[in-house]
Amino acid sequence: MTHNMFFQKVKITGKLTFHTAFHIGSGKEGELSTHMGILLDPDGKPILPGSTLKGNFRSFAERLAPYLKMTACLLDTTLSAVDCVSDEVYRKTNQDAFKRLSSERDKLNWLDVRTCDVCKLFGSPMMASRIFFSDGILVDGGDAIGIRDGVCIDRDTETACPKAKFDYEVVPAGAVFQTTIEIENPEDDELALIAAVVGEWENGFRLGGFSSRGLGRVTFTDKKIESVDYTKPAELIGYLVGNKMTPTLDLLTNSLESKLNRMTV
């Protein structure tokens, strides 16, 4: 893997359409004086933070990676049985060996061997991420914020805890958000993994809090895939001068099919 230069960038754009109400909390009281408010942008409109989208996408990638014969440490070597520097214990145990390496190339090779496939793409404490998620920007719906009631349940007695009632805000069903995913220097296997996760998003998934109560059902639609090859002067000039990228709708599908074919040979 080349770390010090660009050779390709892939951009995926699409819409996240919610089929049920959802709650992505702000960590504060709500605008409607509820105990739990929703996250809003400076204009007071609901927003999907890119960190939430990346976390959900990564969670799917970790679960799907083994089916594509790729490694995922789950940020816990003991749990996953995959050695990776994202695990704090493993990293601290081996950091002296890393520090003794003198050349940048040796350090990069050392990290490459000791970083799982998922962390190579999504980032680790010692390696920058190469996949980036924009905030989801509201483009339709989401105007009238609703309020839901909740109550804490005692798991032992399976009854409501006394004086434990709360309320929380929700964005109503029908809200649509525009979002963008960008990937730098993707390997073929990484594109295959991304294709598998995008497929899950297109089939529908859940996002946000209280999903076990039926909230947060969403699908990824209107997918558009573009790329730029930095090694091709015409594409590079078009991108740098006019921000033009080449439509490559079949890029992810082809990568996934190629990966699956290689696995069956």
Side-chain angles (χ1 to χ4, degrees):
M1 181 186 299
T2 302
H3 295 267
N4 61 351
M5 63 183 294
F6 288 122
F7 62 85
Q8 186 185 31
K9 178 181 286 186
V10 176
K11 182 168 72 173
I12 306 168
T13 57
K15 294 179 180 178
L16 292 166
T17 301
F18 282 86
H19 305 287
T20 65
F22 74 91
H23 172 91
I24 292 181
S26 64
K28 305 175 183 178
E29 292 183 356
E31 296 291 321
L32 303 179
S33 299
T34 58
H35 295 96
M36 303 169 66
I38 58 172
L39 194 62
L40 303 173
D41 68 13
D43 295 325
K45 295 181 180 179
I47 190 170
L48 300 180
S51 57
T52 297
L53 298 178
K54 183 177 182 179
N56 181 282
F57 203 92
R58 178 173 184 146
S59 178
F60 272 110
E62 289 173 337
R63 284 179 278 174
L64 291 170
Y67 296 102
L68 296 177
K69 295 186 178 179
M70 299 175 69
T71 54
C73 72
L74 308 180
L75 308 181
D76 187 332
T77 293
T78 303
L79 177 64
S80 64
V82 175
D83 290 337
C84 180
V85 293
S86 291
D87 176 82
E88 184 176 7
V89 174
Y90 180 84
R91 182 173 69 256
K92 288 182 177 180
T93 302
N94 292 274
Q95 64 183 359
D96 288 342
F98 176 77
K99 291 178 179 179
R100 285 195 295 270
L101 299 174
S102 56
S103 73
E104 197 70 20
R105 180 179 295 276
D106 287 342
K107 289 182 178 180
L108 290 174
N109 289 337
W110 188 94
L111 282 174
D112 192 58
V113 172
R114 292 164 179 81
T115 305
C116 74
D117 292 326
V118 170
C119 287
K120 287 177 184 177
L121 177 61
F122 287 86
S124 77
M126 300 182 71
M127 186 177 291
S129 172
R130 289 181 293 109
I131 184 168
F132 308 92
F133 292 73
S134 71
D135 289 340
I137 304 302
L138 185 69
V139 294
D140 193 18
D143 299 322
I145 304 303
I147 299 176
R148 298 285 180 91
D149 292 324
V151 65
C152 295
I153 302 297
D154 187 312
R155 295 185 182 275
D156 294 326
T157 64
E158 297 183 354
T159 60
C161 298
K163 299 181 180 181
K165 182 180 178 299
F166 62 93
D167 51 24
Y168 55 94
E169 295 175 353
V170 297
V171 180
V176 181
F177 295 80
Q178 183 78 32
T179 192
T180 301
I181 305 170
E182 291 187 337
I183 310 101
E184 295 177 352
N185 295 352
E187 303 283 349
D188 288 340
D189 282 0
E190 292 171 341
L191 289 174
L193 181 60
I194 291 168
V197 179
V198 169
E200 290 284 356
W201 272 26
E202 290 177 309
N203 288 330
F205 61 105
R206 295 194 180 276
L207 190 67
F210 305 108
S211 59
S212 64
R213 304 184 185 192
L215 298 187
R217 182 67 179 174
V218 58
T219 54
F220 186 62
T221 61
D222 298 344
K223 178 179 65 181
K224 180 181 178 181
I225 302 174
E226 300 172 290
S227 65
V228 56
D229 187 336
Y230 284 76
T231 67
K232 297 179 178 179
E235 287 193 28
L236 180 58
I237 292 172
Y239 177 67
L240 295 179
V241 175
N243 198 29
K244 295 179 181 179
M245 301 183 77
T246 304
T248 48
L249 183 59
D250 294 331
L251 177 64
L252 297 184
T253 302
N254 291 342
S255 295
L256 181 56
E257 290 179 350
S258 176
K259 173 67 173 178
L260 294 175
N261 288 334
R262 293 197 304 271
M263 288 170 55
T264 57
V265 172

